[in-house]
Amino acid sequence: MSTLIQGDQLRTILLGTAVSKATGTVANGVTTLFTIAGGRVVITSLVGRVTTVIGSTASNCKLTYNPTAAGTSFDLCTAVAIETDAVEQTYYIAGSVASPGALLVGGAVGQANPVFSSPYVLQAGTIEQNLSADPVGGAITWTVTYYPYDNGASVVAA
């Protein structure tokens, strides 16, 4: 049996364009993950995956949105402890920005995780990872899916 629509094509139809950003070694402070430019976009999912085991020093991770022009930075989620998280551990946001949504960790490596139940509309700005301390090692790859709300709007890895 032939496949008429490939997996990436189906994902694009359902969730929009995917953009990934590998953090390199995670470190204390703010790391810009994605830049939104050219207008508003609808963020349909934002998922992190540990690619190198996270170090054992206590560290909390949260994601922040920082608008370029008008508006104030705000947390997209609450912080979660990430020390000693294993390769393939998954992080995702559940809830709404108004809450803010919780940054949740998949219960087990390889466990199924949800994507947003309510997409976010964001204007030009950046999405940032914020760590409370340096966990001394580890890396996360973040993937965002989106579609333009305004013609010409896009998201790129920073």
Side-chain angles (χ1 to χ4, degrees), residues 6 10 17 19-20 27 33 37-38 53 60 63 75 80 91 105 138 156:
Q6 298 299 315
L10 186 57
T17 302
V19 179
S20 292
L33 301 174
V53 68
N60 292 321
L63 300 176
D75 295 340
V80 67
Y91 310 116
V105 177
V156 296

Side-chain angles (χ1 to χ4, degrees), residues 91-142:
Y91 310 116
Y92 60 96
I93 297 176
S96 67
V97 173
S99 298
L103 180 60
L104 300 176
V105 177
V109 172
Q111 179 177 341
N113 299 298
V115 294
F116 296 152
S117 56
S118 299
Y120 300 168
V121 176
L122 298 176
Q123 63 187 11
T126 57
I127 297 174
E128 303 163 338
Q129 171 187 276
N130 191 327
L131 269 62
S132 64
D134 191 342
V136 190
I140 302 169
T141 295
W142 291 96

Side-chain angles (χ1 to χ4, degrees), residues 19-21 33-37 144 146 154-158:
V19 179
S20 292
K21 164 75 175 198
L33 301 174
F34 303 104
T35 301
I36 302 165
V144 63
Y146 79 97
S154 65
V155 176
V156 296

Side-chain angles (χ1 to χ4, degrees), residues 54-77:
I54 305 291
S56 60
T57 302
S59 183
N60 292 321
C61 179
K62 68 179 178 179
L63 300 176
T64 304
Y65 166 68
N66 185 5
T68 302
T72 305
S73 295
F74 61 87
D75 295 340
L76 292 170
C77 59

Side-chain angles (χ1 to χ4, degrees), residues 15 40-45 119-122 145-149:
L15 296 173
R40 297 170 293 175
V41 297
V42 178
I43 303 296
T44 57
S45 73
Y120 300 168
V121 176
L122 298 176
T145 56
Y146 79 97
Y147 56 87
Y149 192 82

